[in-house]
Amino acid sequence: MGFNLRGAIMANIQGNSEQEVEATIVDAIQNGEEKMLPGLGVLFEVYWNEANEEQKNEICDIISQGLQS
C-alpha cells in the first residue's frame, strides 16, 4: 500500500487561512529544506487549478524571469 503524499499534505493544510498559507510558504522558502518542496508543489498545484489563463500566463512569466537571473 503506497503513501499518498499529496493527500497527506492537502489534509494537513485544508482550511488554512490566508495568513497560515503565507506563513507556510515563507517558512518553507526561508528554511530552504528539501523536505518542504513537495508541500510547495502541492500549494502551487492548488494555485494552478484555481487560476484563470491570465494568472497562469503571469506566473509563468514571473518564474521564467526569475530563472534568467
Side-chain angles (χ1 to χ4, degrees):
M1 183 168 165
F3 179 71
N4 183 346
L5 185 57
R6 179 183 280 110
I9 292 168
M10 285 297 291
N12 192 41
I13 60 176
Q14 198 81 36
N16 279 10
S17 69
E18 182 179 342
Q19 292 80 18
E20 290 169 319
V21 170
E22 181 177 359
T24 297
I25 293 168
V26 169
D27 183 54
I29 292 170
Q30 286 179 346
N31 285 333
E33 295 180 26
E34 298 277 327
K35 68 181 182 179
M36 302 297 274
L37 292 176
L40 291 174
V42 170
L43 289 173
F44 185 78
E45 181 180 36
V46 169
Y47 169 82
W48 192 262
N49 288 335
E50 296 295 321
N52 62 38
E53 286 305 310
E54 183 178 334
Q55 292 167 320
K56 288 177 181 179
N57 289 336
E58 183 178 357
I59 195 71
C60 287
D61 185 49
I62 291 168
I63 292 170
S64 179
Q65 288 178 24
L67 294 173
Q68 300 305 314
S69 10

PDB file of all heavy atoms in Angstrom, residues 3 8 15 41:
ATOM      1  N   PHE A   3       1.953   5.323   0.030  1.00  0.00           N
ATOM      2  CA  PHE A   3       1.653   6.512   0.814  1.00  0.00           C
ATOM      3  C   PHE A   3       1.280   7.642  -0.139  1.00  0.00           C
ATOM      4  O   PHE A   3       2.012   7.930  -1.084  1.00  0.00           O
ATOM      5  CB  PHE A   3       2.875   6.903   1.644  1.00  0.00           C
ATOM      6  CG  PHE A   3       2.668   8.127   2.475  1.00  0.00           C
ATOM      7  CD1 PHE A   3       1.829   8.099   3.580  1.00  0.00           C
ATOM      8  CD2 PHE A   3       3.306   9.311   2.162  1.00  0.00           C
ATOM      9  CE1 PHE A   3       1.641   9.231   4.359  1.00  0.00           C
ATOM     10  CE2 PHE A   3       3.122  10.442   2.939  1.00  0.00           C
ATOM     11  CZ  PHE A   3       2.282  10.406   4.033  1.00  0.00           C
ATOM     12  N   ALA A   8      -1.844  13.600   1.952  1.00  0.00           N
ATOM     13  CA  ALA A   8      -1.426  13.918   3.319  1.00  0.00           C
ATOM     14  C   ALA A   8      -1.160  15.409   3.471  1.00  0.00           C
ATOM     15  O   ALA A   8      -1.553  16.018   4.471  1.00  0.00           O
ATOM     16  CB  ALA A   8      -0.179  13.113   3.684  1.00  0.00           C
ATOM     17  N   GLY A  15      -8.261  24.065   4.921  1.00  0.00           N
ATOM     18  CA  GLY A  15      -8.912  25.001   5.819  1.00  0.00           C
ATOM     19  C   GLY A  15      -8.001  26.083   6.380  1.00  0.00           C
ATOM     20  O   GLY A  15      -8.452  26.895   7.182  1.00  0.00           O
ATOM     21  N   GLY A  41       5.007  22.323  -3.855  1.00  0.00           N
ATOM     22  CA  GLY A  41       4.458  21.822  -5.112  1.00  0.00           C
ATOM     23  C   GLY A  41       2.948  21.639  -5.039  1.00  0.00           C
ATOM     24  O   GLY A  41       2.228  21.975  -5.983  1.00  0.00           O
TER      25      GLY A  41
END
